[in-house]
Every structure is written in structure tokens, then in C-alpha cells.
């Protein structure tokens, strides 16, 4: 499975870059899936809906299906959080999986960086960060792209994964 990550600190532009990369790469005819790590509790269904009622009642998994999409919710309850590798095994085959977050995992990554956040670069201490997409010029030992140059960033990632 071809895998590439987008990492960065809060408000660095990760989600916007992910969105643009998915549009760019799928526009070139490749299939893409995404994995997004959240550091906080989140909910994808709403109180009062049948799926929410099933989950709150104690169901381990709730599969919601229609003609347009399916959604599988799995309650961890007291289970440990699955690893990225375990999550990837649940995905169907695609040309490329883009991962937002999981900055400590060993897959190759591009770092999104905005100077205004004042956060240090992850890349300086992490060799798995193969390039940086920034809103400011940086002097690094790896490629630096303009954060908004989605085409160049996509070219780099696709070369890196062999597509």
C-alpha cells in the first residue's frame, strides 16, 4: 500500500493541504483514501438518530448503509487505540493513502508549516519528514515547497511513492 503523511502542529494548514492533495491526486486519475488522527473525542453521528441509539445502548459496531455510502462506527470502550497499521488493514485497495497526523509513525511525510503559529519545525528532528510545505522561505536539508503550491507537492509525493 502506498502511504504518505501530512503532519504539522495545530493551525499549520494540514487539513487544507490534505483536501487540496486529494483533489489534485484524484484529478490526475489516481484513487485516494485518507486516514485522519484526532487527539480528542469525536462523534460522527447525532443524539436521537438510530445509529447513535444503537451505539449508546452498547453495540460494539454500528454499520450505517445507504445507496450512497456506508459508515462503520466501532466503539473502543476499554480497548486500546488501534495502530495506524491496524487501521490501514481495514481500507479497501487504492493507489494512495494520505494520512493526516500520526507524526510519530515511520511512514514518509510532508510537514505543513505556518510561521505565524510560532511552532518549531518537526522536520529538523524527524528524518521521516521528507519535505516541508511552508508559507515562508526555509533553509533545510530537504525540499521546501510553498504551502499553496499543491501541484508541486503532489508531484513530489507521487514521485516518492512511485506513481
Amino acid at each position: 500500500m502506498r502511504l504518505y503523511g501530512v503532519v504539522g502542529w495545530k493551525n499549520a494548514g494540514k487539513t487544507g493541504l490534505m483536501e487540496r492533495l486529494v483533489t489534485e491526486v484524484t484529478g490526475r486519475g489516481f484513487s485516494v483514501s485518507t486516514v485522519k488522527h484526532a487527539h480528542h473525542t469525536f462523534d460522527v453521528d447525532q443524539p436521537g438518530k438510530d445509529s447513535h441509539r444503537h451505539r449508546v445502548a452498547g453495540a460494539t459496531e454500528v454499520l450505517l448503509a445507504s445507496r450512497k455510502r456506508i459508515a462503520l462506527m466501532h466503539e473502543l470502550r476499554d480497548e486500546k487505540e488501534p495502530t495506524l497499521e491496524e487501521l490501514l488493514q481495514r481500507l479497501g485497495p487504492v493507489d494512495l493513502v494520505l494520512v493526516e497526523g500520526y507524526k510519530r509513525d515511520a511512514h514518509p511525510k510532508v510537514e505543513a508549516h505556518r510561521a505565524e503559529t510560532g511552532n518549531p519545525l518537526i522536520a529538523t528532528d524527524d528524518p521521516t519528514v521528507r519535505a516541508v510545505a511552508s508559507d515562508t522561505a526555509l533553509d533545510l536539508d530537504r525540499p521546501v515547497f510553498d504551502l499553496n503550491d499543491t501541484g508541486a507537492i503532489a508531484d513530489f509525493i507521487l514521485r516518492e511513492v512511485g506513481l
Side-chain angles (χ1 to χ4, degrees), residues 93-131:
V94 292
D95 296 316
L96 177 64
V97 176
L98 291 172
V99 177
E100 181 177 345
Y102 291 95
K103 66 177 160 271
R104 290 176 181 77
D105 285 60
H107 59 282
K109 306 164 189 78
V110 62
E111 178 178 356
H113 177 262
R114 283 198 176 115
E116 70 185 32
T117 65
N119 290 316
L121 283 169
I122 297 167
T124 56
D125 296 319
D126 186 346
T128 67
V129 176
R130 311 268 301 147

Side-chain angles (χ1 to χ4, degrees), residues 44-111:
V44 295
D45 61 355
Q46 301 168 14
K49 296 293 185 183
D50 294 348
S51 58
H52 187 268
R53 292 171 62 189
H54 296 180
R55 196 167 47 86
V56 170
T60 298
E61 291 190 325
V62 177
L63 180 65
L64 183 60
S66 74
R67 284 191 339 259
K68 300 284 186 182
R69 73 185 50 88
I70 60 170
L72 176 62
M73 291 169 279
H74 180 98
E75 283 296 306
L76 294 177
R77 307 230 187 261
D78 293 325
E79 299 172 46
K80 68 177 185 67
E81 180 179 352
T83 65
L84 176 58
E85 186 64 34
E86 291 166 335
L87 295 172
L88 293 172
Q89 292 173 16
R90 295 178 177 211
L91 295 177
V94 292
D95 296 316
L96 177 64
V97 176
L98 291 172
V99 177
E100 181 177 345
Y102 291 95
K103 66 177 160 271
R104 290 176 181 77
D105 285 60
H107 59 282
K109 306 164 189 78
V110 62
E111 178 178 356

